[in-house]
Amino acid sequence: MTATGTGTGPGPAAGTGIRLTAPAPGWSIAADVVVVGSGVAGLTAALRCAAAGRRTVVVTKARLDDGSTRWAQGGIAAALGDGDTPEQHLADTLVAGAGLCDEAAVRTLVTEGPDAVHRLIGTGARFDTAPGSDEIALTREGGHHRRRIAHAGGDATGAEISRALVEAVRAAGLRTIENALVLDLLTDADGRTAGVTLHVMGEGQHDGVGAVHAPAVVLATGGMGQVFSATTNPAVSTGDGVALALRAGAEVSDLEFVQFHPTVLYLGPEAEGQQPLISEAVRGEGGHLVDADGTRFMVGQHELAELAPRDIVAKAIMGRAHEQGVEHMYLDGRHFGAQMWESRFPTILAACRSHGIDPVTEPIPVAPAAHYASGGVRTDLRGRTTVPGLYACGEVACTGVHGANRLASNSLLEGLVFAERIAADIAGTPAPEATPNSTPADGPDPTPATAPDPARATAPSAPRTALPLLAPDTRTAVQRIMTAGAGVLRSAASLARAAAELDRLHREATAATGRPGRAEPAGATATGIATTPAAGSAPTPTDPKAPEPGVEAWEATNLLCVARVLVAAAQRREETRGCHWREDHPDRDDALWRRHFRVTLDADRALTLHTTATADFPPTVTP
């Protein structure tokens, strides 16, 4: 069931006691800070923490250079050009956010952004420059009234930023644990962060389930695009950070605002998984959106035409396709010529040609696909969540910058700026004393006999409850349910079907453990994280089909968790705002809905949803 309320809501987080079903850690290391993720946010936070003298460990799900950042094409937005100002950048961001941006967070982003970009350049990132000049070349993207997007390699900005940061991390000698899926947060007896458990895939210095003990954990795990069938996100984007935070008792907000990028290469109605992105910069350089007849349908719909904010363009594409009974529209850049395609957009050109489409001679078929989570784990301006010692930055976080719809190319900047702020907050905290029974992060690997017992780092006031795991093949079922019921276009009926189907998947997983769940109270909805075994007990599989703990089962379980939160929030928000589009409530309603939802997971796996009194977020930390 889902409880709802208004006003300030709960105080400081209390751990749920819920954990993923997993073997006990067989190894552990100690650090001052553990950063989970290796995109722009994670590696920036790690470098700054290490520079401040903190023993820092980076945990990443794949290789160090294989996060979402490397897939970013367009660039990074900042007021770097002549005549541009942070105030103008602020204004564009607030408009795109459709009334739900936290203005203080946006002001922080746009005022600190230019210097942060210059520090990134100092770290080694090389941006494209104007011909015959050392000045950074700037382009435009949707929602921006000025050229303020710095890019690299034409359309390979993320790859260049990732290269520079990875090289800096390796040069600094930071300890990294690659191919490691984070499982759950460890807390001490006072409910403060004490590290994470994780599973290392394959052989190496560590393997299997272990623990990194640290008083500060920075979540920079990226997004949750894999909750939908078609997405621009890589396969690793399974909402692991949001799910971990929920189990730890942290608040999440704005999860209903999933941005569907309007121009993703259309590969057919059955296409699933990561899809090729056609950067907004193509439209910024003069590309036209047209229908099959060659008509530019965005002209007259918005003052910026093809460069309207993404939610408006995505809705226009869907609307025109519906009118004409087709599945996609076209992006026409034939007038660029071969030289411009090859020099400015080499990545996109190669991707299109690999699928038999040549943008030099034909329009590109495009349709919206899941791209970016505007919401996430709620933080303040210092990146602090509602769990002491737990920080979040990048796409996993909800800083309040994006509101109901992210402005193009603000994501890399947000990761950069708020990662630096997190590191400054951690550096301003007295360094922790060494734990006597912990092995230092730069020391020899502990053996199981000498490793700290993770059970000591778990608050005794919150008995651990093992969460039933989903079978790996359930991942596809979750994606198809979400695509059909909670995609670009939503309604009460579609969301109710999605909620019921997700609830069925959860009940089936619980039944496979052989432990019956509690009955739902009368009037309960299907949006809860229902049923719980006896407190402190682990499920005992009785069905031979019950999944064994492993990466695919953990990912599927995390996807179901974030999917149910997204659907619950989307059901509650009975309006259309930003990238949340309700066909049964087509208008924006500021009187009722210019506010945020703050969602937490209870110990019985039910959701509690509180509504803020205004568009402003309350503090995450009690003074």
Side-chain angles (χ1 to χ4, degrees):
M1 96 181 255
T2 305
T4 61
T6 59
T8 59
T16 66
I18 300 170
R19 300 288 186 268
L20 287 172
T21 300
W27 56 269
S28 69
I29 59 176
D32 298 331
V33 184
V34 56
V35 177
V36 187
S38 60
V40 62
L43 296 188
T44 298
L47 286 166
R48 299 293 184 269
C49 286
R54 297 295 191 264
R55 296 176 303 160
T56 303
V57 173
V58 177
V59 174
T60 186
K61 194 173 180 180
R63 302 293 296 175
L64 202 60
D65 60 354
D66 203 26
S68 293
T69 291
R70 67 186 286 259
W71 298 100
Q73 294 175 348
I76 184 167
L80 299 167
D82 290 341
D84 198 5
T85 65
E87 286 295 324
Q88 294 175 67
H89 191 181
L90 173 79
D92 285 345
T93 301
L94 294 178
V95 169
L100 278 186
C101 295
D102 183 309
E103 186 167 338
V106 178
R107 192 170 295 280
T108 297
L109 178 84
V110 300
T111 55
E112 297 182 9
D115 287 343
V117 170
H118 285 295
R119 284 189 290 272
L120 180 61
I121 293 171
T123 303
R126 297 188 291 266
F127 290 97
D128 296 337
T129 56
S133 168
D134 292 331
E135 295 293 321
I136 296 174
L138 301 173
T139 189
R140 278 183 70 194
E141 291 186 0
H144 293 272
H145 283 79
R146 282 189 174 273
R147 287 183 170 265
R148 65 167 65 98
I149 316 300
H151 48 84
D155 58 357
T157 309
E160 170 58 18
I161 290 173
S162 180
R163 179 206 62 77
L165 291 173
V166 168
E167 287 187 5
V169 164
R170 288 175 175 157
L174 269 67
R175 185 163 191 168
T176 61
I177 303 176
E178 296 179 292
N179 301 307
L181 171 64
V182 67
L183 299 176
D184 280 299
L185 189 74
L186 296 171
T187 55
D188 63 20
D190 297 321
R192 290 191 56 83
T193 293
V196 293
T197 55
L198 64 158
H199 173 80
V200 180
M201 299 165 264
E203 297 182 359
Q205 190 174 16
H206 304 295
D207 65 84
V209 175
V212 180
H213 295 277
V217 170
V218 181
L219 293 179
T221 51
M224 56 182 193
Q226 289 291 327
V227 79
F228 295 97
S229 295
T231 176
T232 62
N233 288 190
V236 295
S237 297
T238 52
D240 308 318
V242 171
L244 174 150
L246 281 163
R247 292 192 296 271
E251 289 183 6
V252 302
S253 290
D254 294 349
L255 234 59
E256 67 270 35
F257 297 116
V258 176
Q259 186 174 82
F260 287 76
H261 197 289
T263 54
V264 175
L265 182 62
Y266 180 75
L267 298 178
E270 302 303 318
E272 295 182 340
Q274 186 177 9
Q275 307 296 299
L277 175 68
I278 309 299
S279 170
E280 202 147 21
V282 174
R283 285 175 279 138
E285 296 292 353
H288 300 151
L289 282 169
V290 298
D291 61 18
D293 297 325
T295 302
R296 288 182 63 190
F297 57 89
M298 284 303 301
V299 175
Q301 291 208 34
H302 190 276
E303 61 164 334
L304 296 176
E306 281 91 354
L307 289 178
R310 288 177 178 175
D311 60 315
I312 294 171
V313 178
K315 291 170 187 174
I317 289 175
M318 295 292 290
R320 190 72 158 197
H322 180 73
E323 289 174 10
Q324 299 186 345
V326 297
E327 298 289 333
H328 63 85
M329 291 287 106
Y330 294 91
L331 181 57
D332 192 354
R334 289 175 292 178
H335 53 286
F336 290 172
Q339 183 177 359
M340 180 172 176
W341 273 108
E342 290 166 1
S343 61
R344 181 67 178 86
F345 301 112
T347 306
I348 296 170
L349 180 64
C352 289
R353 284 177 170 171
S354 72
H355 290 283
I357 299 160
D358 189 349
V360 177
T361 60
E362 60 187 313
I364 305 168
V366 293
H371 181 59
Y372 190 87
S374 295
V377 185
R378 191 168 77 82
T379 73
D380 64 8
L381 296 184
R382 292 153 68 179
R384 299 177 297 181
T385 73
T386 53
V387 175
L390 178 65
Y391 297 81
C393 55
E395 190 173 355
V396 71
C398 178
T399 62
V401 160
H402 304 308
N405 178 59
R406 175 173 70 83
L407 180 66
S409 288
N410 267 356
S411 55
L412 292 176
L413 189 70
E414 182 199 31
L416 187 63
V417 167
F418 285 90
E420 290 187 340
R421 288 185 141 253
I422 286 172
D425 190 74
I426 292 172
T429 303
E433 296 181 5
T435 305
N437 65 343
S438 295
T439 301
D442 55 356
D445 293 330
T447 65
T450 61
D453 179 6
R456 298 180 188 174
T458 302
S461 59
R464 284 182 288 177
T465 299
L467 187 67
L469 298 179
L470 269 67
D473 59 5
T474 309
R475 175 176 179 149
T476 301
V478 171
Q479 292 169 333
R480 290 177 178 172
I481 290 167
M482 292 298 289
T483 299
V488 179
L489 185 58
R490 304 164 178 174
S491 68
S494 75
L495 291 166
R497 285 193 298 271
E501 292 173 12
L502 294 173
D503 192 57
R504 174 182 56 79
L505 293 178
H506 183 79
R507 289 197 309 272
E508 290 173 354
T510 302
T513 69
R515 293 185 181 274
R518 62 176 173 80
E520 288 291 345
T525 68
T527 55
I529 309 294
T531 72
T532 186
S537 60
T540 303
T542 58
D543 186 327
K545 296 181 180 179
E548 292 294 324
V551 172
E552 292 181 341
W554 290 321
E555 286 184 332
T557 303
N558 285 338
L559 282 173
L560 178 61
C561 177
V562 298
R564 300 183 89 188
V565 176
L566 191 162
V567 168
Q571 283 183 300
R572 183 79 178 107
R573 185 171 291 280
E574 296 179 338
E575 66 161 351
T576 290
R577 181 187 297 272
C579 48
H580 172 65
W581 186 7
R582 287 281 297 262
E583 61 178 338
D584 52 340
H585 295 281
D587 299 320
R588 171 172 156 176
D589 186 346
D590 281 355
L592 287 178
W593 298 113
R594 190 166 179 248
R595 58 197 72 220
H596 303 272
F597 302 142
R598 298 160 53 201
V599 184
T600 53
L601 182 62
D602 299 334
D604 62 356
R605 294 205 287 275
L607 294 177
T608 297
L609 187 151
H610 286 268
T611 306
T612 61
T614 68
D616 296 327
F617 278 118
T620 59
V621 178
T622 303

